[in-house]
Amino acid sequence: MAGSSVNLRSGAGTRHASLGHLTRGDQVDVDRKSGGWYRVTLSERSRSGIPAGTVGWVAERYLKPSVCMQLDD
């Protein structure tokens, strides 16, 4: 997350209800884009207590891409 605290919304847009707040460092997986919004799934429980696996929408400007690698054993 690029912002210090952003709303995780039930739909793509500010007219949709907030499901809670995400904070810097919370990890999400992106699977869809609609306008300037991304549908995300929380990889782990958020720092504010939103359970892992929760699906919601975040404005594009608040997301920061990260690169993850999986190494073979």
Side-chain angles (χ1 to χ4, degrees), residues 23-36:
T23 59
R24 185 178 304 255
D26 284 337
Q27 299 291 313
V28 297
D29 295 316
V30 175
D31 71 351
R32 185 184 308 171
K33 182 177 183 182
S34 178

Side-chain angles (χ1 to χ4, degrees), residues 28 36 42 54 63 71-72:
V28 297
L42 268 68
T54 300
L63 295 178
L71 301 175
D72 292 331

Side-chain angles (χ1 to χ4, degrees), residues 1-4 6 22-28 58 62-64:
M1 306 296 310
S4 59
V6 299
L22 300 176
T23 59
R24 185 178 304 255
D26 284 337
Q27 299 291 313
V28 297
V58 176
Y62 296 119
L63 295 178
K64 181 174 127 182

Side-chain angles (χ1 to χ4, degrees), residues 33-61:
K33 182 177 183 182
S34 178
W37 292 78
Y38 284 101
R39 188 172 81 168
V40 301
T41 303
L42 268 68
S43 305
E44 302 174 348
R45 182 179 182 88
S46 75
R47 293 174 183 179
S48 66
I50 302 170
T54 300
V55 176
W57 294 80
V58 176
E60 177 179 17
R61 68 181 173 269

